[in-house]
Amino acid sequence: MPAIVIAGAGPAGLRTASLLAMEGWQVDVIEEHSEVGIPENCSGLLSVSGLNELGIDAESCTVNRIYGAEIFSANGTKLTVERQEPVALVVKRSEFDKMLFKEAVKNGANIEFNSKLIDVRRQHIFFQRKARGEAKKARVVVGADGVLSKAREIAGIQIDKKYFVQSYQERVSGTFDKTKVQVYFGSFAKGLFAWIIPESEGIARAGIATSLGINAREAFEEFKHKYSFEFETIERQSFMIPLGPPVEEPVKDNILLVGDAAFHVKATTGGGIIFGLNAAQKCAEAITKHLKHGSKLSEYKNLLKPINRELKIHWRIRSYLNSLSDDKLDKLFLKLKKAGIEEFLTEHGDMDRPSMFIGKLLKKPRFWSLLPLIFRLR
Ligand SMILES: Cc1cc2nc3c(=O)[nH]c(=O)nc-3n(C[C@H](O)[C@H](O)[C@H](O)COP(=O)(O)OP(=O)(O)OC[C@H]3O[C@@H](n4cnc5c(N)ncnc54)[C@H](O)[C@@H]3O)c2cc1C
């Protein structure tokens, strides 16, 4: 019988499949869509450091290089962070996923399209293929089926809806600084923020994400109006993003959750690809140890500890930002600016690992007026 069945051929599922197949295990991936990477619901911003650590060369799907960011508070106070070297790549997400797909297939994984996970009963998986119910056996099941994970539901994990935001994004034409992303905070984007991620000087991905219950598309119109943006819409998309702490128990019996399904997502930004790929490595490691040496699958939880430590800091920062009114956020931005946060982040900032620079903040006397906040976030 196949050793492992993975539900979901997104980055987390494909990476897990690739690594396990490379170890020689028989891996089947079931994917509900007929193609990898479609529909494309992403801004495709990936840190250079994160990709390098993973050993992933995303050159073939890169459309732009980002050197920094402009971050705006509700009243327009701007923090600018800028490096000499690219800090992030803007990738065409469907191409990125296809690259991971080819790698997984090359390593020996088997991908079955139009196959939707329905249920797991011990070592039996039930799925729907072209309106027909089918079943297969698996010793281990990986739930890499994204934000609204069926595997998570089957594992009995309930997530409160306050831990999701609704995004709305348009691919637009206009005039953009192609070297920087822009991030806009304020009550018009309650729950996250609005963004502009340039593909070039003429095209960008502009979007917003808001708490559930708020109409994200209307919020996007409010954002455009507030800043008098006049974009030409090329494409539009809307999708949910998990925004909360990582799932505490990512293993239930023989089911392991990875990626968005397990909230392996930076709650500061909603970005989940780098963390999902890192978690996939831990997931593959835990499964290999289990199948080879009989160790418990729950070892996965231990392997995830360093990843979850960072994700929890992202979540504390997000919770703090969400608690601030526009006025308080403005005051915080001014205070940070005055203390020299722009120069500090230019030198020490890390898109993925806040623990790296929060520790360094403590060593700079000019930030000691922010000590209560720093200790709260650590
Ligand atoms: C608007 C927007 C912008 C974003 N921008 C960024 C960004 O710039 N950078 C970043 O890092 N992240 C970004 N993200 C988040 C990123 O897209 C996710 O974190 C990432 O896709 C998660 O990967 P995954 O493999 O866990 O899940 P997914 O990519 O969601 O893959 C899950 C797969 O499972 C399949 N599936 C679902 N249910 C079933 C089922 N029952 N049976 C079989 N298959 C199933 C789906 O079809 C899908 O292919 C963004 C998200 C949104 C919505």
Side-chain angles (χ1 to χ4, degrees):
M1 79 177 177
I4 305 132
V5 173
I6 299 176
L14 290 169
R15 182 76 168 174
T16 311
S18 202
L19 296 171
L20 286 167
M22 205 156 66
E23 287 285 331
W25 304 113
Q26 188 187 336
V27 186
D28 285 354
V29 181
I30 55 168
E31 164 57 49
E32 67 172 333
H33 288 105
S34 56
E35 207 183 318
V36 160
I38 307 290
E40 207 175 59
N41 292 309
C42 191
S43 310
L45 189 73
L46 303 176
S47 66
V48 170
S49 57
L51 287 168
N52 286 345
E53 274 172 33
L54 286 157
I56 294 179
D57 177 0
E59 193 63 36
S60 63
C61 44
T62 297
V63 294
N64 191 19
R65 286 175 168 68
I66 298 296
Y67 291 76
E70 291 176 335
I71 308 163
F72 298 85
S73 73
N75 75 353
T77 302
K78 181 170 80 169
L79 302 177
T80 305
V81 181
E82 194 167 17
R83 293 253 173 92
Q84 297 295 319
E85 301 292 319
V87 279
L89 304 181
V90 182
V91 301
K92 176 132 182 62
R93 175 60 199 276
S94 55
E95 296 300 322
F96 183 78
D97 287 18
K98 285 192 171 88
M99 184 180 84
L100 298 175
F101 166 69
K102 281 186 198 145
E103 181 78 11
V105 172
K106 194 179 90 194
N107 286 342
N110 170 43
I111 324 278
E112 299 176 20
F113 291 103
N114 303 307
S115 303
K116 182 175 180 170
L117 174 71
I118 301 293
D119 206 354
V120 180
R121 298 271 170 89
R122 294 172 189 245
Q123 298 201 330
H124 288 87
I125 289 235
F126 299 88
F127 60 103
Q128 190 180 330
R129 196 201 308 257
K130 292 189 182 155
R132 274 190 47 206
E134 296 192 19
K136 60 166 79 203
K137 282 187 161 189
R139 284 171 71 184
V140 181
V141 178
V142 176
D145 48 348
V147 55
L148 298 174
S149 172
K150 184 73 186 174
R152 190 176 64 220
E153 184 193 316
I154 294 166
I157 298 165
Q158 309 280 340
I159 309 265
D160 193 292
K161 63 179 190 213
K162 70 180 179 201
Y163 296 122
F164 296 91
V165 290
Q166 184 69 42
S167 71
Y168 175 79
Q169 180 174 261
E170 292 188 358
R171 186 161 181 257
V172 294
S173 63
T175 306
F176 307 102
D177 172 357
K178 68 176 271 193
T179 65
K180 290 192 205 76
V181 298
Q182 293 184 329
V183 178
Y184 296 83
F185 285 92
S187 48
F188 59 90
K190 191 172 160 21
L192 194 68
F193 49 64
W195 62 85
I196 297 178
I197 297 180
E199 285 184 20
S200 64
E201 274 152 13
I203 294 191
R205 301 160 188 182
I208 198 164
T210 53
S211 307
L212 293 192
I214 299 172
N215 185 317
R217 184 164 179 182
E218 283 174 16
F220 185 71
E221 291 305 322
E222 193 184 333
F223 160 60
K224 280 197 321 189
H225 181 73
K226 179 174 162 73
Y227 289 93
S228 306
F229 289 131
E230 288 186 10
F231 306 132
E232 288 271 325
T233 307
I234 303 169
E235 288 165 24
R236 45 175 69 97
Q237 56 184 234
S238 185
F239 207 62
M240 294 233 294
I241 300 178
L243 217 68
V247 164
E248 276 296 331
E249 300 296 334
V251 187
K252 174 82 196 311
D253 303 326
N254 62 336
I255 304 176
L256 289 80
L257 302 177
V258 68
D260 274 18
F263 278 60
H264 294 145
V265 177
K266 294 183 284 184
T268 47
T269 65
I273 297 173
I274 297 290
F275 273 90
L277 292 170
N278 274 307
Q281 295 191 168
K282 305 297 180 194
C283 185
E285 188 181 335
I287 294 171
T288 293
K289 281 185 179 163
H290 171 71
L291 296 176
K292 231 184 205 171
H293 309 296
S295 65
K296 287 190 176 156
L297 284 172
S298 55
E299 171 67 9
Y300 177 42
K301 198 176 156 184
N302 289 333
L303 295 173
L304 281 174
K305 272 183 184 161
I307 292 176
N308 284 351
R309 195 173 55 234
E310 293 294 339
L311 289 174
K312 284 177 185 168
I313 299 177
H314 281 284
W315 172 239
R316 283 197 287 277
I317 297 174
R318 163 60 38 216
S319 305
Y320 174 69
L321 291 173
N322 283 357
S323 74
L324 299 179
S325 64
D326 282 359
D327 277 354
K328 286 202 168 137
L329 198 68
D330 290 335
K331 283 189 186 127
L332 176 68
F333 268 55
L334 287 169
K335 202 169 174 181
L336 289 169
K337 199 174 174 78
K338 210 167 139 204
I341 196 76
E342 291 161 304
E343 297 76 16
F344 177 83
L345 287 179
T346 296
E347 196 180 343
H348 303 290
D350 185 308
M351 275 170 70
D352 297 323
R353 283 182 298 202
S355 68
M356 303 287 276
F357 64 83
I358 288 186
K360 286 185 186 136
L361 272 175
L362 286 173
K363 295 184 187 139
K364 307 264 179 198
R366 67 179 193 272
F367 292 113
W368 286 356
S369 65
L370 298 165
L371 276 182
L373 172 60
I374 297 169
F375 278 113
R376 190 169 154 183
L377 300 179
R378 280 179 92 208

